[in-house]
Amino acid sequence: MVEGGIVLAKKSLDLAESSASFIEKIWQKINIGEPIATSVTYTYPKSQMKTTRTYRVPDTRRSLFRTKITLPAGNNFQIISIYDVDTGLDYADISVQREEGKVIFDPSKLPASCERLMITTLNDVEKTFLRELVDVRVSEVASREEPDKEKHWIVAVIKNEGLLKPFYKHATLEDIDVGVGINVDRQYSTILRSDNNPLIRLMRANQNIFTGIDQNKRSLEQVGKTQRRRILQEEKKSKEDIFAELAHLCLPELFKNYLTTDNPNLIYIDARRTENLMTFGNIIIPIPSRMTVTVFTTLRLEEPAQKGNLIFNRADFCNDATKIIKTHFKI
Amino acid sequence: MSKIESEFRVISKFIAQWALPNEGIPLFLIWKGKFAFDSVEIEMPESFVVRRYYNINKKDLSSSRRIGFDELKKEGYIGIVFTSPMLEQVSEKVQVILRFVKDGEDVYREEFETHIIRPRIELEIPERIELLPNEPVKANIGLRYTGYGNIYFKIIVSGDPNKLVFDVKDFRDLFLVMANSNTFKQFMHRNCIPEEEFLGSKVPEDQFEYRELLLDTSQIGEFTAESFFDTIKRVMDNKKMMEILERSMDRSEDVTMSLFKSIIDFVEKRPVESVFLSETEIKPVQFDEGEKSLYVCIGYVDDFGNYYTQTKKIPIIVKKKNAITFGSRWDERAGNWEWLKEE
């Protein structure tokens, strides 16, 4: 088992290294001068890497400008810009051609006078490679030092600097996503058990009915219709509506109102429902039992770690849910 | 020490302020300014284990608490992830110190503090039980949640210590798993049944004959995960499923009461906020005459998946063959997070 784990880890590292060396080989082919600045940006959601190299072009190299350079077009590789740094003009359109399976770079199309060139490339990278670069962690338990709030610590760090450092002076890992799970059903547990809750008061007031069902296993039909009507304001809204309204609170654009982070570098972006739905007894209700919140952050070689907290304002969520419940039931 | 202070500056430091046993606790220190040190010594309790290093090329794993200067990939940054062992009490304050050592002397030290936390159930049982003729006996088991985080809980009461087995009383839970499974959703999709229609509030407990369904299509003997999924597969291919679904939808004209019952059930399954029960009812246990013992076994899992278990024995004197029924009484004394505010 341990051995398997090691093999797996090695495989993903190998993959990571081959992914990093792909672009390195391309740069070796381009080799039109001395690189004076190098940088790389990995964009996590798109699984892309953008590399930029600025070259000083010595006169001795200009003879090389006559030969076309053929580059592999795998991994969606493309040269997106070739700037003459001094004039600010982009020569990518005229000097780069894409043919089936290859990208052809023709340096003879570049102005003979240019001294500094900035070339930017873009290509897809394996998700495994991106995961190999960083480690993200989120607390399993949400803290409650303020009863109204639940707090998760979040940390994202560069794990394998070795994969970046030899090649680039500047590296940016952009929009690294960190998933945080928020328990929705736990909130409902609080709402339903609170002493002020209309439902609980109602259940206490109608204890006979409920305990009757529970203990004697009487069929539901035996409970009088009038009693049922008394409890539920049937004329007002149907039961489906209450669930739809409660589920509404978990729509990403609304759910995010309950979330904040305490570090401006941890940007909360998205909330997603998990597949699991809440169950009340045997009834499965289309309300997610858990939400997955995605926090994005950016790391740099010179800023290799980010830390902070995601805060869920549970009191606001519980208040809003209680309001919905109250409009559906007589108190 | 004063010599380095002028050049040296901590940019960022972090330790996870709380974690469950075995959960990775990240720690990092980022600093600016060069200063001479031979190694960084990590001081933490013996039983803690360093699981991961960031920016460190560990040559010698046997000296896991010592990071040589030449093992740093890049100056100015140290990161580790470590774990704690299981914990007896519900929380423990732990200090971790990074000592930068030069020629055997500390040139700089940085102190970190974290809390290892866990949930705990305190079990309160009767000292002894006497089973008398013609008198129904009810034993109350007191359960108190203390500590931190959610737990997923199971309680088993048995007269025989070798038979502490989870008893699948009905197939309700199976049904829930089934209804949430992808196979089931595909089945619904194939038959053009909108998922919402089924997964909504329209299937009250007593009206959906999943028991019949499962029993009809298979003989469930030994209950294992494999046999369960086999059963589901068989059920999915069974046309009778459709009929039963249709029937249960027809009969669901009034679900108000079942909705209420379900809410009560939900509350019962969450006896206190942090506890989720997989079973709410404890089966009565039968006893023959004589001096016996009753075993109450609780098992629970925390948010990380650590498993905690506890078994208590109650002596019983049985005057006449009889059964004991059980009641459970819950309360909650959740751990406070005051120590977080102090920092």
Side-chain angles (χ1 to χ4, degrees), chain B residues 154-195:
Chain B
K154 194 191 280 181
I155 182 164
I156 300 148
V157 180
S158 166
D160 178 352
N162 299 318
K163 279 192 183 164
L164 297 175
V165 202
F166 183 39
D167 180 31
V168 183
K169 194 162 71 275
D170 59 29
F171 297 106
R172 197 175 59 180
D173 291 343
L174 304 195
F175 166 68
L176 291 180
V177 176
M178 190 175 90
N180 266 321
S181 71
N182 283 333
T183 326
F184 179 74
K185 284 174 186 162
Q186 280 161 16
F187 170 84
M188 300 291 279
H189 184 72
R190 267 208 311 278
N191 292 286
C192 304
I193 308 166
E195 218 173 90

Side-chain angles (χ1 to χ4, degrees), chain A residues 132 135 137-146 151-162 165 183 185-186 188-190 192-193 199-200 202-203 209-210 213-214 217-221 223 225 228 231-232 234 239-240 242-243 275-286 290 301-309 314 329, chain B residues 12-14 16-20 23-26 28 30 52-55 73-74 77 81 117 145 148-150 152 172 175-176 179-180 182 185 195-196 198-207 210 251 253-274 276 281 303-304 332 337-338 340-341:
Chain A
E132 201 54 51
D135 194 4
R137 283 169 195 271
V138 178
S139 65
E140 295 282 355
V141 174
S143 79
R144 286 278 186 87
E145 77 262 40
E146 290 170 67
K151 203 165 95 178
H152 284 274
W153 53 256
I154 295 173
V155 59
V157 299
I158 294 183
K159 184 163 79 171
N160 262 322
E161 291 196 317
K165 236 183 92 188
N183 262 328
D185 65 356
R186 181 173 165 141
Y188 279 99
S189 156
T190 311
L192 292 172
R193 286 180 321 102
L199 277 182
I200 297 297
L202 200 84
M203 283 194 267
I209 303 172
F210 296 114
I213 292 168
D214 248 19
K217 304 261 182 236
R218 279 194 293 155
S219 87
L220 301 171
E221 279 79 4
V223 182
K225 269 209 161 138
R228 269 176 263 161
I231 293 162
L232 186 80
E234 278 173 335
K239 299 152 296 284
E240 282 75 14
I242 183 171
F243 295 134
E275 290 242 325
N276 294 336
L277 297 173
M278 224 155 75
T279 54
F280 277 142
N282 287 351
I283 299 183
I284 301 163
I285 294 170
R290 210 172 150 81
L301 266 185
E302 47 291 8
E303 201 179 358
Q306 284 291 356
K307 58 177 184 180
N309 293 290
R314 65 190 301 262
F329 294 99
Chain B
S12 180
K13 64 178 256 192
F14 174 81
Q17 285 172 293
W18 67 92
L20 291 165
E23 182 184 358
I25 306 170
F28 65 74
I30 302 173
R52 231 177 208 300
Y53 300 93
Y54 304 130
N55 190 40
K73 291 183 191 166
K74 179 188 153 196
Y77 169 43
V81 175
I117 53 170
Y145 166 93
Y148 304 87
N150 291 314
Y152 307 88
R172 197 175 59 180
F175 166 68
L176 291 180
N180 266 321
N182 283 333
K185 284 174 186 162
E195 218 173 90
E196 296 74 34
F198 181 75
L199 293 178
S201 57
K202 292 190 173 177
V203 192
E205 178 188 20
D206 294 348
Q207 295 172 17
Y210 52 89
R251 280 197 270 143
E253 72 286 339
D254 191 348
V255 295
T256 313
M257 287 319 295
S258 98
L259 165 66
F260 273 104
K261 190 177 175 307
S262 299
I263 290 172
I264 293 178
D265 204 29
F266 177 80
V267 174
E268 275 178 3
K269 284 207 163 180
R270 286 276 195 175
V272 291
E273 192 181 83
S274 307
F276 187 84
E281 223 176 287
D303 285 312
F304 184 73
E332 183 170 34
W337 294 84
E338 287 301 315
L340 267 185
K341 283 187 190 164

Side-chain angles (χ1 to χ4, degrees), chain A residues 245-268:
Chain A
E245 282 182 40
L246 290 174
H248 200 63
L249 294 180
C250 293
L251 289 177
E253 57 270 30
L254 288 179
F255 196 76
K256 75 183 201 185
N257 294 336
Y258 306 112
L259 300 161
T260 45
T261 65
D262 61 0
N263 173 356
N265 293 318
L266 292 176
I267 306 161
Y268 157 73

Side-chain angles (χ1 to χ4, degrees), chain A residues 70-293:
Chain A
T70 307
L71 305 164
N75 299 333
N76 273 329
F77 170 77
Q78 45 185 304
I79 295 177
I80 53 173
S81 65
I82 301 178
Y83 281 109
D84 178 341
V85 178
D86 301 300
T87 62
L89 293 174
D90 182 1
Y91 293 94
D93 282 354
I94 56 165
S95 65
V96 181
Q97 273 184 316
R98 211 181 162 85
E99 277 177 22
E100 205 175 305
K102 45 192 155 168
V103 171
I104 297 163
F105 171 41
D106 182 0
S108 69
K109 300 275 166 51
L110 298 172
S113 59
C114 75
E115 286 178 357
R116 284 181 296 168
L117 279 174
M118 190 172 89
I119 305 179
T120 303
T121 68
L122 190 70
N123 65 282
D124 292 348
V125 275
E126 292 280 342
K127 277 201 163 60
T128 336
F129 169 65
L130 294 179
R131 290 289 155 224
E132 201 54 51
L133 288 178
V134 294
D135 194 4
V136 293
R137 283 169 195 271
V138 178
S139 65
E140 295 282 355
V141 174
S143 79
R144 286 278 186 87
E145 77 262 40
E146 290 170 67
D148 290 356
K149 289 177 176 140
E150 279 184 4
K151 203 165 95 178
H152 284 274
W153 53 256
I154 295 173
V155 59
V157 299
I158 294 183
K159 184 163 79 171
N160 262 322
E161 291 196 317
L163 293 173
L164 302 171
K165 236 183 92 188
F167 308 132
Y168 309 102
K169 275 195 183 129
H170 300 282
T172 307
L173 312 180
E174 210 171 63
D175 294 341
I176 301 159
D177 51 308
V178 187
V180 187
I182 305 275
N183 262 328
V184 176
D185 65 356
R186 181 173 165 141
Q187 313 311 326
Y188 279 99
S189 156
T190 311
I191 295 168
L192 292 172
R193 286 180 321 102
S194 99
D195 284 344
N196 303 323
N197 188 279
L199 277 182
I200 297 297
R201 290 219 310 256
L202 200 84
M203 283 194 267
R204 290 210 176 107
N206 294 280
Q207 224 161 18
N208 292 341
I209 303 172
F210 296 114
T211 50
I213 292 168
D214 248 19
Q215 284 169 4
N216 304 328
K217 304 261 182 236
R218 279 194 293 155
S219 87
L220 301 171
E221 279 79 4
Q222 278 177 296
V223 182
K225 269 209 161 138
T226 41
Q227 264 169 320
R228 269 176 263 161
R229 219 172 275 135
R230 193 163 59 93
I231 293 162
L232 186 80
Q233 289 177 310
E234 278 173 335
E235 62 285 354
K236 229 180 163 184
K237 277 171 179 176
S238 74
K239 299 152 296 284
E240 282 75 14
D241 288 340
I242 183 171
F243 295 134
E245 282 182 40
L246 290 174
H248 200 63
L249 294 180
C250 293
L251 289 177
E253 57 270 30
L254 288 179
F255 196 76
K256 75 183 201 185
N257 294 336
Y258 306 112
L259 300 161
T260 45
T261 65
D262 61 0
N263 173 356
N265 293 318
L266 292 176
I267 306 161
Y268 157 73
I269 299 283
D270 198 13
R272 221 159 16 86
R273 299 147 157 258
T274 56
E275 290 242 325
N276 294 336
L277 297 173
M278 224 155 75
T279 54
F280 277 142
N282 287 351
I283 299 183
I284 301 163
I285 294 170
I287 299 173
S289 63
R290 210 172 150 81
M291 294 291 285
T292 303
V293 173

